[in-house]
Each structure stands twice: as structure tokens, then as C-alpha cells.
């Protein structure tokens, strides 16, 4: 008779367990949502940290370039402290022209985007010494 009694209460036990499960179901759903949200926030923080590091590296590079007085812009070079006079630009002789390839042609400009020479074969050809150096120089857009 005892076996019959335990079998008789089995459906009630299952229904009560299901009811308790339904009571705690919102807790499990919110925990899952919190985990998903925490993972998304962690990914965003990682991306932001990477972007911050990139910005810091770019700022350091820009500061070093500003300090050197030369600003490379692809196949062009801008000299910040150039004054157009009959004397040869002082900064060019000091700069390491070996950084450029021997077959590389780099047009050199002043702050006003006016061509002042060309670097060819790792040598600076100044417009006052070589008249044809700036004839084929590309025009740089002054709007930034």
C-alpha cells in the first residue's frame, strides 16, 4: 500500500517542482542577460583600450615628427622652419637622407606648401641650385 501512495503523490511533486522552477526562472534569465551584458562591456572596454593606445602612439609619433622639423606626407616632405632666402636650408643637411631609398623621389615643401626642392638618390636638390627640380612637383591642397 505504501508504493501506491508514493506513486499517487508523484504528479503533485512534479507539479510543485515545476512551479518552483517557474518561480526561479526569471532569476536564471536575468543572470544570463547580465553575463551577456558583462561580456559585451568587456569587449567594448578592450576595444577602447586598443584605440587609446593607438591614439597615444600617434601622438608620440607626431611629437617626434614635430621635434625633427620634418613632416613626411607620403612622397612629400614638409619643412616647418624654412625661410626662403639665398642661403641653403639649414635643416636639410642635418637630416638623414639615407632613410629614403636610392630610387625614391620625394618633393620637399615649406609650411606654405610651396616646393623648395626634391630628394633624389638620397641627395637634396634645392630649387635655387637646380632650377628644374620643382617643375613637375605635385600641387598640395592647402585645405585640411
Amino acid at each position: 500500500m505504501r508504493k501506491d501512495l508514493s506513486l499517487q503523490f508523484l504528479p503533485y511533486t512534479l507539479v510543485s517542482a515545476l512551479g518552483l522552477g517557474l518561480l526561479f526562472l526569471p532569476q536564471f534569465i536575468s543572470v544570463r542577460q547580465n553575463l551577456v551584458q558583462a561580456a559585451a562591456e568587456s569587449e567594448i572596454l578592450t576595444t577602447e583600450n586598443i584605440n587609446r593606445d593607438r591614439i597615444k602612439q600617434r601622438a608620440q609619433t607626431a611629437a617626434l615628427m614635430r621635434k625633427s622639423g620634418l613632416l613626411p606626407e607620403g612622397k612629400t616632405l614638409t619643412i616647418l622652419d624654412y625661410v626662403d632666402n639665398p642661403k641653403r636650408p639649414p635643416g636639410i643637411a642635418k637630416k638623414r637622407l639615407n632613410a629614403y631609398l636610392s630610387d625614391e623621389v620625394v618633393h620637399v615643401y615649406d609650411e606654405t606648401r610651396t616646393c623648395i626642392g626634391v630628394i633624389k638618390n638620397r641627395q637634396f636638390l634645392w630649387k635655387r641650385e637646380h632650377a628644374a627640380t620643382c617643375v613637375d612637383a605635385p600641387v598640395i591642397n592647402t585645405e585640411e
Side-chain angles (χ1 to χ4, degrees), residues 18-141:
L18 182 66
L20 283 174
L22 288 175
L23 284 174
F24 288 107
L25 186 63
Q27 295 290 330
F28 293 125
I29 291 174
S30 68
V31 166
R32 184 176 184 280
Q33 288 175 348
N34 289 343
L35 289 175
V36 169
Q37 184 178 2
E41 288 175 358
S42 173
E43 184 177 343
I44 289 171
L45 285 176
T46 303
T47 305
E48 286 179 355
N49 287 336
I50 290 171
N51 287 337
R52 283 188 188 110
D53 288 341
R54 285 182 183 163
I55 290 169
K56 285 179 186 176
Q57 290 173 358
R58 286 180 184 165
Q60 289 173 350
T61 302
L64 287 173
M65 289 168 59
R66 237 181 282 116
K67 186 177 179 181
S68 71
L70 299 175
L71 296 177
E73 299 175 9
K75 294 291 183 182
T76 65
L77 188 66
T78 303
I79 298 179
L80 298 177
D81 58 353
Y82 175 76
V83 178
D84 193 16
N85 59 27
K87 294 181 182 177
R88 189 174 175 86
I92 294 293
K94 296 176 187 173
K95 302 305 171 192
R96 290 181 35 195
L97 297 175
N98 289 333
Y100 298 102
L101 300 175
S102 60
D103 61 343
E104 194 172 10
V105 176
V106 179
H107 293 279
V108 182
Y109 296 89
D110 64 359
E111 287 181 351
T112 63
R113 307 291 184 172
T114 305
C115 180
I116 62 170
V118 175
I119 297 174
K120 284 185 185 176
N121 297 326
R122 294 182 178 151
Q123 293 181 351
F124 176 65
L125 304 176
W126 188 34
K127 72 176 180 178
R128 291 195 182 256
E129 294 174 356
H130 305 277
T133 56
C134 289
V135 173
D136 60 344
V139 176
I140 296 180
N141 188 2

Side-chain angles (χ1 to χ4, degrees), residues 9-20:
F9 290 111
L10 183 65
Y12 297 116
T13 308
L14 290 175
V15 168
S16 63
L18 182 66
L20 283 174

